[in-house]
Amino acid sequence: MSRRRSFSVVGKSVLKKDGLSLAQGAPLFCEDLLPRGCLYARVLRSPHAHARIVAIDASEAESMAGVHAVLHHGNVPRVMRTTAGQGAPEPSPYDFTTFDSKVRFVGDRVAAVAAETPQLAAEALGRIKVEYDVLEPVLDPRRAMEPGMPRIHDEPDARVVIPVPYEPQKNLAAHVDMQIGDIEQALADADLSIEREYECQYAQHTPIEPHCALAEPLADGRIRITTSTQVPFHVRRIVAQALEVPVSRIHVVKPRIGGGFGAKQEVLIEDLTAFLAVRSRRPVFLRLSRSEEFLSRTRHSMILRLRTGVDKDGSLKAVDLDVLSNTGAYGSHALTVVCNCGSKVLPLYRWPVIRFSADVVYTNLPVAGAYRGYGATQAAFAMEIQMDEMARSIGMDPVDFRLRNHVRHGETSPVFAALGEGGEGTPQSIDSIGLKKCIREGARAIGWKRRRRRGRGPLKRGMGMVCLMQGSSIPQVDMGAAMIKMNEDGSFNLLVGATDIGTGSDTVLAQIAAEVLGVEVDKVLVTSSDTDVTPFDVGAYASSTTYLSGEAVRKAALDVAGQVRKVAAEMLDVAPKTIRLENGRALASDGRAVLLSEVALRSLYEKDQHQIGALASHTTRKSPPPFSAHFAEVEVDSQTGLVMVLRYIAAVDCGTAINPVLAEGQIEGAVVNGLSYALCEEFIFNDKGKLRNDSFRDYKIFCTRDLPRIETILVPTYESSGPYGAKSVSEICINGALPVISNAIFDALGVRLRKAPYTPERVLAAIREASADSVE
Amino acid sequence: MLANAKVCLYPRDQQEAVRILEEYGGQALVLAGGTTAALNSDPAVTTLVDLTRIGLDSIEEEDGEWSLGCCVRIQQIATHAGIAGLCDGMLSTAAGSVGSRPIRNMTTLGGNVVQVFRWSDPPVALMAMNAGFELMGPAGSRRLSADEFFERHPRQVLQRSEILTRVYVRRPQGASGGAFIKYARTAFDLAVVDAAVCIELDGRNCSAARVVVGGTRTVPWRSREAEKILVGSRLTKAVMRRAAAAARLETRAAGGVRTDGEYRRQMVEVIAGRVIEQAAQRARERS
Amino acid sequence: MDIHVEVNHQPLVWKVNPGQILLDVLRREGYKSVKFGCGQGDCGACTVLIDGQSMRSCLLLVGQVEGRSIVTVESLGNHDQPHPLQSSFVECGAVQCGYCTPGMLLSAKALLDENPKPDEDQVREALDGNLCRCTGYKKIIEAVLRAAERMRS
């Protein structure tokens, strides 16, 4: 594939295909599509963090007029599985069933009801009598594995389905480790060795549309599920598993999704809705309330211990990252998230000696799962703060320190081979990297060289910077496929399993197809994520849609282009390989041309009739990292501790940006989410494990008036293994805020925050502690 | 949702409103802005009473006294030029800091002041401005000072079937200055601490001071200890710092979901200190 | 009881219990652009214009809108003739998942109706009650400023 030509459609900020419909408020979301006679479901949730259900009496609820089904562990089959939306066999433990006789966090499922109105369903919940035997909960991840602690998963049928460590008897949900070289020796030999602990908190994705799903029993005995999901094919498989029916009985359709960010990479409510639909023989709609949404899935909170060794000349000698990850009551994504702590952070720098070890523990707290960044966020937090500390300790500018030590083009890291997503990794070398340019341009944009600690009165200003990497798809594991067929007006239907969750992937994939076929983007009509109609795709996660599904689209388009050229060649009486597809026409080298519509009409109706079309699949052989450098300027009120972010620069190498405006949108959205996570998002539990701030009133996310000035700089490179040179961009930029704000606060005040979020209380306490130390 | 409310009444004036409340008692729910009614599901409520049509939605001035109708929306107060000129705009600032724009569009002065949640910002400013509160009930109307109105939660001060009709604020005499600060963690947030101060100077000394703190108890409260230090003194930095520290000592702050009591008390000192300084500065500029 | 409203410039009479939530009534009557995000008045997905002012339909009881005008995004333009705000949003990349978009558009419309030449701070203030998790707001603010410029010329 040729490098960096200018393209007709790729690289242009083509308008998002569904943009105008969405701006008109068209009824495209799950809750907009409810059929007549639809029932409403509600879920009864545990008030206890850890308890056995001794008895459930649903008889009164069942006998209420207008209540059509009541489910609980007594009347639903026990099928151990994971809720994680991952390819089979899943790397997450099978520690979950539709309803268990044990509850493991405040908010865990106990029963579900389908009724004529939401109010009736709520009333029915109130009539279900449950008797609990309350057990001692495990609320502190640091203590979860101590001998004598209560065992959260004591069911004999909890297991893993791939050979990975799993020790539920000590509340260990997952473990991974790797080592290259002699870590103790290398740390001892280094001129300077630092050991620090970092802690980052629970957070929730808060998609503005909560989880919701509609299940409809069809006349032929199948069930159609319309759901706000990132993973329609995994939903189909896992719901079939839960209902103990063949996959062919389930049809999953994805409407427009009101945000996912990883929360919807999970089969969280579709099983319930399907069961209720089957039992009641009516369509059933379930939507989580906002407070239930906070308890749906979360980010893994982690404690990271990082030891690093560096020499005075600035060369890195050794790194030892030890992670304790809290996966909450169930283990979905437990192993894979923590693998990414290593695999998406350690390869960024040239470490001669590396050790990485991670334990993931169960606690009786809300369940963590996939969340944009997926472990890289938490590990980059620790790594980039420590890089800043090392640089300053040896008297080196943090920018120069990164420039000296980052991985180079053509190099590799042993971490790639050692760490996969639950298994072995995939070795790869870095074939595209624009990090140096990202660093330089970001530094220039913020005025890095001109910075000095400034402030007026109690307000102190400072600047920080960080470097980041992520990945693009899960190599050798995930697969995406695309089908294209041609219509008589020279338009094409593009059918993809790939899941547009608001990111605009339908548009990006159409651009790739249009580029190959030589047509305008609106000649490519996209149908996505319908399990009866579109080919398979793992779904929207691991930053894979452009890089993985996009390549499947490109392959299918190339096949179709070949077929078009063959027909055109007959029409023009030339050799097929001399034909060029451009502007909706097939051109011979002497300038004669036929319209694509003419080709289509001939192939559909006139001669050698056949459907021009193709199916292509793709799996990736590597996961080429996008790279980024972030710079931030903060102003801290040293009397209140309040941190205001004044400016934020994100310079990003995502390969070719297939659609620059959509790429910027991913960057800006991720940056603001990261800032909010760094400064004000956290879960506050009471001493019985109940979430106290389960509303937007008490769990704050940024609004328009909290924003700094944000500047996005796209630094193009060309990744030849990706469609038209593309890598990925959707996750990486959420990883910058935690470390860069901490580094900027250090620049402003001389205090290091290693526990997030950086609330005013924590900042003030750090200032006080520092001045107390200096008095001593 | 109020499932049993079958009827909504729209009284045309305050007398009719009071009569309706007398008649329906606990079955009636008063609606003004409505920002809290929707979260109410009391099955005893059969009748809704919409107060927004009783003609009390204007801001008027007469002889230096401004009267604000109870159904004036918070956003109106935040953007009103006349109110902006009173006490260095402290009421405008307080109104502009409430919630987010749609909340300011919906919330009425009456609702904000009578419901006074821990997060209601205008009551803090109104207390510092020594506002007057006119109530109307079956027995007629009465007027309370801010200190009387906020002595306990206003819902307990209001008698049966009584409604708040107007709030009065007046430009202070002489060399005076005011300031209001809401300290919150993000832009659209409940206050950690609010503070509002009105100061009057007589020559070089402070002749009167009202130092009001909000966000720490259910109603705003005056720090008498801080006021004692200020009144009669020359407002040097040291005096003002001592007053702020006194306000902190007088604070009995509970922790909330997101912030602990100790931090809140510390912030009373910081924020009260800042508003005292700002108000003093402005008063000096006028003397 | 009968509630008389004007919805998108059309006079209507709803036979409803006045204690129902306006959001639920609007969606039941077919105005699907008005979204449920939290039901507690915190996120703005349910924003509608009542007598031209942006308000939370999840916090309003339907009895409160007797005699008032309600505007939802359905009235803002159509596919052939979108409102300048709608086209600006799409062109600037301000629409990602689109769930917050109707609320954002209405808050923006209310702003431009009252102030045709807002600065960036005024745009932020007018939209501060609409939460978005996808875009980071930057392109939304740009789109409103661009629409304002277009509408002035």
Side-chain angles (χ1 to χ4, degrees):
Chain A
M1 183 171 9
S2 46
R3 300 178 65 93
R4 277 192 250 183
R5 285 189 327 246
S6 78
F7 304 113
S8 321
V9 158
V10 160
K12 307 278 189 299
S13 293
V14 164
L15 297 187
K16 194 154 160 300
K17 275 177 170 288
D18 55 358
L20 194 52
S21 307
L22 290 168
Q24 282 167 349
L28 301 172
F29 296 88
C30 185
E31 195 174 356
D32 302 331
L33 305 170
L34 305 185
R36 300 239 319 242
C38 184
L39 299 177
Y40 296 87
R42 290 286 303 269
V43 179
L44 182 65
R45 299 191 180 274
S46 168
H48 304 293
H50 197 196
R52 275 189 221 289
I53 298 175
V54 170
I56 292 196
D57 178 4
S59 54
E60 209 185 307
E62 278 160 353
S63 63
M64 281 173 66
V67 171
H68 292 258
V70 181
L71 304 176
H72 51 78
H73 78 89
N75 61 11
V76 166
R78 183 182 183 84
V79 177
M80 295 305 281
R81 60 186 189 275
T82 179
T83 57
Q86 300 175 307
E90 299 94 333
S92 301
Y94 275 29
D95 58 8
F96 174 87
T97 182
T98 310
F99 288 105
D100 200 352
S101 55
K102 194 182 190 203
V103 289
R104 297 179 178 83
F105 71 102
V106 178
D108 203 354
R109 300 172 173 188
V110 172
V113 155
E116 296 282 344
T117 66
Q119 291 75 28
L120 207 49
E123 222 184 289
L125 286 190
R127 309 260 185 104
I128 300 175
K129 304 194 208 7
V130 188
E131 202 188 311
Y132 296 98
D133 173 21
V134 179
L135 305 168
E136 194 61 37
V138 178
L139 299 177
D140 182 353
R142 288 181 204 261
R143 302 195 54 208
M145 291 200 287
E146 279 173 18
M149 290 302 280
R151 188 171 156 182
I152 298 171
H153 283 277
D154 55 354
E155 65 273 29
D157 50 357
R159 63 190 189 280
V160 278
V161 295
I162 65 172
V164 289
Y166 182 58
E167 292 175 73
Q169 66 277 13
K170 21 192 257 234
N171 291 323
L172 182 73
H175 172 85
V176 67
D177 63 63
M178 57 156 285
Q179 180 152 333
I180 305 214
D182 183 339
I183 188 70
E184 301 304 334
Q185 190 64 49
L187 285 170
D189 289 345
D191 289 342
L192 174 66
S193 191
I194 299 182
E195 175 174 342
R196 299 280 182 242
E197 188 179 278
Y198 302 82
E199 200 174 328
C200 56
Q201 76 280 27
Y202 260 95
Q204 218 272 331
H205 322 59
T206 71
I208 306 300
E209 181 205 35
H211 284 78
C212 54
L214 166 70
E216 299 171 88
L218 303 176
D220 58 6
R222 298 179 78 217
I223 304 168
R224 181 171 61 221
I225 301 179
T226 305
T227 170
S228 183
T229 183
Q230 297 175 223
V231 288
F233 285 88
H234 297 329
V235 167
R236 180 177 71 168
R237 184 186 78 247
I238 292 174
V239 169
Q241 187 183 15
L243 266 57
E244 297 179 302
V245 299
V247 158
S248 55
R249 287 271 288 279
I250 311 284
H251 175 198
V252 178
V253 170
K254 175 202 78 71
R256 289 296 111 184
I257 308 289
F261 317 110
K264 298 174 181 174
Q265 186 193 343
E266 209 79 31
V267 184
L268 267 191
I269 58 172
E270 294 89 346
D271 57 335
L272 288 179
T273 343
F275 267 117
L276 288 168
V278 166
R279 292 286 165 86
S280 64
R281 289 192 267 265
R282 294 268 292 272
V284 175
F285 174 67
L286 171 58
R287 182 200 66 210
L288 297 189
S289 69
R290 182 52 58 179
S291 57
E292 286 175 308
E293 180 62 37
F294 276 103
L295 296 174
S296 61
R297 280 297 180 265
T298 65
R299 188 184 281 288
H300 286 79
S301 62
M302 293 189 189
I303 298 158
L304 307 111
R305 190 209 58 179
L306 184 58
R307 294 192 297 164
T308 51
V310 63
D311 275 351
K312 284 201 285 271
D313 67 352
S315 52
L316 294 172
K317 302 315 273 183
V319 60
D320 174 15
L321 175 60
D322 222 290
V323 177
L324 178 65
S325 173
N326 177 1
T327 197
Y330 296 92
S332 62
H333 301 275
L335 174 62
T336 42
V337 164
V338 97
C339 285
N340 277 282
C341 290
S343 65
K344 302 292 191 290
V345 172
L346 297 174
L348 182 56
Y349 300 111
R350 299 139 128 191
W351 300 100
V353 175
I354 301 174
R355 181 182 169 274
F356 171 65
S357 172
D359 284 328
V360 188
V361 293
Y362 285 122
T363 57
N364 291 114
L365 290 171
V367 185
Y371 191 151
R372 202 174 194 178
Y374 206 84
T377 317
Q378 295 93 321
F381 158 58
M383 179 64 76
E384 288 301 308
I385 294 177
Q386 196 135 325
M387 289 292 286
D388 193 74
E389 186 174 358
M390 283 193 285
R392 289 166 185 273
S393 301
I394 60 174
M396 207 168 173
D397 185 312
V399 160
D400 295 333
F401 191 54
R402 303 310 195 293
L403 286 170
R404 191 197 192 294
N405 285 299
H406 75 76
V407 70
R408 302 296 199 248
H409 187 279
E411 289 179 358
T412 183
S413 162
V415 177
F416 289 130
L419 283 178
E421 299 237 346
E424 264 172 31
T426 308
Q428 64 177 7
S429 65
I430 303 295
D431 292 330
S432 64
I433 174 166
L435 184 58
K436 185 152 71 196
K437 192 152 183 232
C438 288
I439 296 171
R440 294 227 151 99
E441 302 224 344
R444 199 164 29 106
I446 204 161
W448 182 258
K449 289 271 185 274
R450 292 188 323 263
R451 82 193 181 291
R452 45 188 193 288
R453 205 177 274 185
R454 296 169 284 157
R456 281 175 304 126
L459 302 176
K460 311 283 184 208
R461 290 192 179 185
M463 277 189 198
M465 65 86 58
V466 297
C467 289
L468 308 166
M469 63 174 278
Q470 190 82 27
S472 309
S473 83
I474 307 175
Q476 304 181 318
V477 169
D478 286 348
M479 183 266 285
M483 225 153 58
I484 300 181
K485 65 180 179 69
M486 190 174 192
N487 303 311
E488 47 257 77
D489 63 347
S491 70
F492 299 86
N493 288 104
L494 169 60
L495 309 171
V496 285
T499 311
D500 188 331
I501 54 174
T503 46
S505 63
D506 283 356
T507 305
V508 166
L509 297 177
Q511 283 176 262
I512 293 172
E515 185 72 41
V516 173
L517 296 166
V519 297
E520 296 284 313
V521 173
D522 54 17
K523 289 285 201 209
V524 178
L525 314 161
V526 181
T527 302
S528 57
S529 312
D530 178 326
T531 61
D532 270 4
V533 166
T534 63
F536 182 89
D537 189 286
V538 288
Y541 57 90
S543 300
S544 55
T545 305
T546 300
Y547 183 70
L548 163 67
S549 315
E551 188 58 16
V553 168
R554 198 182 70 90
K555 281 154 78 164
L558 285 170
D559 187 334
V560 166
Q563 296 173 44
V564 168
R565 278 203 284 275
K566 185 150 176 287
V567 173
E570 283 166 21
M571 294 165 78
L572 292 167
D573 195 26
V574 295
K577 66 178 193 283
T578 65
I579 299 227
R580 249 181 20 257
L581 298 182
E582 216 175 85
N583 291 326
R585 301 181 305 158
L587 285 127
S589 42
D590 62 3
R592 289 177 304 131
V594 286
L595 299 175
L596 287 196
S597 52
E598 290 170 327
V599 169
L601 284 167
R602 180 185 169 103
S603 65
L604 285 171
Y605 298 111
E606 294 165 14
K607 193 158 188 326
D608 298 326
Q609 289 89 324
H610 65 291
Q611 168 72 67
I612 292 179
L615 166 69
S617 311
H618 190 61
T619 58
T620 55
R621 291 179 324 272
K622 55 195 287 231
S623 175
F627 294 93
S628 189
H630 291 194
F631 291 77
E633 185 179 17
V634 302
E635 183 175 85
V636 187
D637 183 328
S638 58
Q639 288 176 348
T640 62
L642 189 67
V643 177
M644 288 250 308
V645 185
L646 300 176
R647 283 189 302 156
Y648 198 104
I649 318 271
V652 184
D653 154 28
C654 59
T656 300
I658 305 281
N659 187 317
V661 161
L662 292 183
E664 286 170 4
Q666 290 302 300
I667 294 167
E668 290 158 11
V671 162
V672 172
N673 189 333
L675 285 173
S676 193
Y677 181 50
L679 292 173
C680 50
E681 293 181 42
E682 65 182 326
F683 272 28
I684 313 237
F685 297 104
N686 72 8
D687 58 6
K688 297 219 165 31
K690 181 171 153 65
L691 180 62
R692 293 175 68 197
N693 60 333
D694 56 353
S695 72
F696 280 125
R697 197 188 71 185
D698 292 326
Y699 180 96
K700 299 309 297 178
I701 69 174
F702 268 25
C703 76
T704 49
R705 286 192 291 149
D706 296 307
L707 300 178
R709 259 177 35 224
I710 299 176
E711 193 181 327
T712 306
I713 303 172
L714 288 177
V715 172
T717 61
Y718 197 93
E719 171 58 45
S720 51
S721 67
Y724 295 104
K727 289 187 282 191
S728 72
V729 76
S730 47
E731 287 182 274
I732 180 172
C733 289
I734 202 172
N735 304 336
L738 240 62
V740 82
I741 301 302
S742 176
N743 292 346
I745 294 172
F746 180 82
D747 191 50
L749 299 172
V751 296
R752 277 228 187 260
L753 274 99
R754 298 187 184 88
K755 188 166 159 157
Y758 313 132
T759 59
E761 288 93 323
R762 289 211 174 99
V763 173
L764 206 57
I767 295 173
R768 301 238 162 108
E769 211 180 287
S771 58
D773 287 344
S774 65
V775 163
E776 287 161 23
Chain B
M1 136 161 132
L2 290 156
N4 292 337
K6 303 284 191 249
V7 160
C8 186
L9 301 173
Y10 305 94
R12 304 279 126 190
D13 58 45
Q14 47 189 294
Q15 287 82 1
E16 194 186 343
V18 169
R19 255 199 326 274
I20 291 174
L21 292 180
E22 265 285 86
E23 188 183 329
Y24 286 90
Q27 287 177 28
L29 182 69
V30 164
L31 298 175
T35 52
T36 49
L39 302 172
N40 184 334
S41 53
D42 186 351
V45 173
T46 58
T47 307
L48 305 174
V49 184
D50 184 333
L51 282 193
T52 60
R53 325 215 184 198
I54 60 178
L56 284 171
D57 50 9
S58 62
I59 301 177
E60 283 152 20
E61 191 251 341
E62 194 182 316
D63 292 334
E65 185 177 61
W66 289 85
S67 85
L68 298 95
C70 63
C71 293
V72 167
R73 308 277 174 169
I74 294 295
Q75 181 64 18
Q76 276 172 270
I77 300 175
T79 54
H80 194 274
I83 298 294
L86 289 181
C87 300
D88 294 298
M90 64 160 49
L91 183 57
S92 314
T93 309
S97 73
V98 169
S100 62
R101 183 63 192 266
I103 301 286
R104 293 193 287 282
N105 286 339
M106 293 170 77
T107 306
T108 58
L109 176 63
N112 190 259
V113 151
V114 167
Q115 297 280 51
V116 67
F117 298 106
R118 185 180 273 157
W119 53 82
S120 302
D121 311 300
V124 180
L126 289 170
M127 197 161 184
M129 294 165 81
N130 203 4
F133 295 79
E134 181 184 89
L135 312 175
M136 167 120 199
S141 69
R142 60 184 178 128
R143 190 159 152 163
L144 298 179
S145 69
D147 293 347
E148 289 165 329
F149 191 73
F150 293 117
E151 190 190 359
R152 328 187 271 291
H153 195 289
R155 281 175 154 272
Q156 292 164 13
V157 171
L158 252 59
Q159 283 157 13
R160 222 179 50 113
S161 309
E162 222 177 4
I163 59 173
L164 173 73
T165 50
R166 283 189 179 81
V167 177
Y168 295 94
V169 286
R170 175 173 274 291
R171 186 188 305 281
Q173 319 288 40
S176 67
F180 169 90
I181 293 178
K182 170 179 176 177
Y183 169 53
R185 253 116 53 85
T186 61
F188 164 20
D189 204 350
L190 318 182
V192 172
V193 165
D194 282 319
V197 168
C198 269
I199 277 182
E200 284 174 37
L201 293 182
D202 181 7
R204 300 234 285 220
N205 283 3
C206 170
S207 54
R210 293 174 69 89
V211 177
V212 183
V213 175
T216 64
R217 295 182 209 163
T218 43
V219 288
W221 55 278
R222 284 171 64 185
S223 171
R224 307 285 182 169
E225 298 302 314
E227 292 171 2
K228 260 190 256 175
I229 291 171
L230 295 173
V231 174
S233 309
R234 231 184 91 201
L235 297 181
T236 60
K237 275 207 187 325
V239 165
M240 292 193 289
R241 265 203 297 269
R242 265 186 24 240
R248 159 155 155 244
L249 290 172
E250 219 180 326
T251 305
R252 296 181 330 261
V257 174
R258 286 176 301 135
T259 192
D260 62 79
E262 179 52 39
Y263 179 75
R264 230 191 264 273
R265 279 190 292 279
Q266 290 171 17
M267 290 307 103
V268 167
E269 180 168 355
V270 173
I271 302 301
R274 289 180 187 180
V275 286
I276 290 171
E277 260 185 74
Q278 276 180 30
Q281 176 66 17
R282 291 167 182 167
R284 264 184 231 117
E285 280 161 13
R286 292 200 180 89
S287 63
Chain C
M1 65 184 280
D2 282 351
I3 301 287
H4 307 82
V5 288
E6 185 189 86
V7 183
N8 295 336
H9 316 297
Q10 220 206 337
L12 296 174
V13 180
W14 288 334
K15 290 193 172 336
V16 279
N17 280 347
Q20 291 194 8
I21 308 289
L22 180 61
L23 167 63
D24 296 337
V25 174
L26 282 170
R27 285 189 61 85
R28 208 169 54 225
E29 294 291 320
Y31 304 97
K32 303 290 188 193
S33 69
V34 188
K35 304 289 183 211
F36 172 92
C38 69
Q40 296 166 314
D42 292 319
C43 75
C46 70
T47 302
V48 292
L49 299 185
I50 306 286
D51 291 344
Q53 299 290 306
S54 63
M55 295 202 180
R56 311 280 210 213
S57 65
C58 76
L59 289 185
L60 285 170
L61 300 181
V62 71
Q64 291 177 268
V65 296
E66 162 67 32
R68 304 216 187 272
S69 88
I70 304 175
V71 168
T72 70
V73 138
E74 277 88 350
S75 73
L76 220 55
N78 56 44
H79 222 93
D80 301 313
Q81 275 194 298
H83 190 282
L85 274 169
Q86 288 166 321
S87 12
S88 299
F89 263 58
V90 178
E91 285 158 23
C92 291
V95 181
Q96 284 191 34
C97 82
Y99 203 73
C100 77
T101 303
M104 288 283 182
L105 286 168
L106 290 174
S107 295
K109 175 178 175 3
L111 169 70
L112 297 183
D113 285 348
E114 138 196 311
N115 176 2
K117 206 174 168 177
D119 61 29
E120 193 177 314
D121 281 338
Q122 288 168 323
V123 174
R124 290 179 187 221
E125 191 260 349
L127 267 44
D128 67 359
N130 294 89
L131 295 180
C132 171
R133 208 47 157 161
C134 294
T135 65
Y137 304 105
K138 185 175 173 204
K139 291 184 183 330
I140 292 177
I141 295 167
E142 279 166 18
V144 177
L145 290 168
R146 181 185 294 194
E149 226 179 276
R150 275 199 182 143
M151 285 163 70
R152 285 199 302 272
S153 59

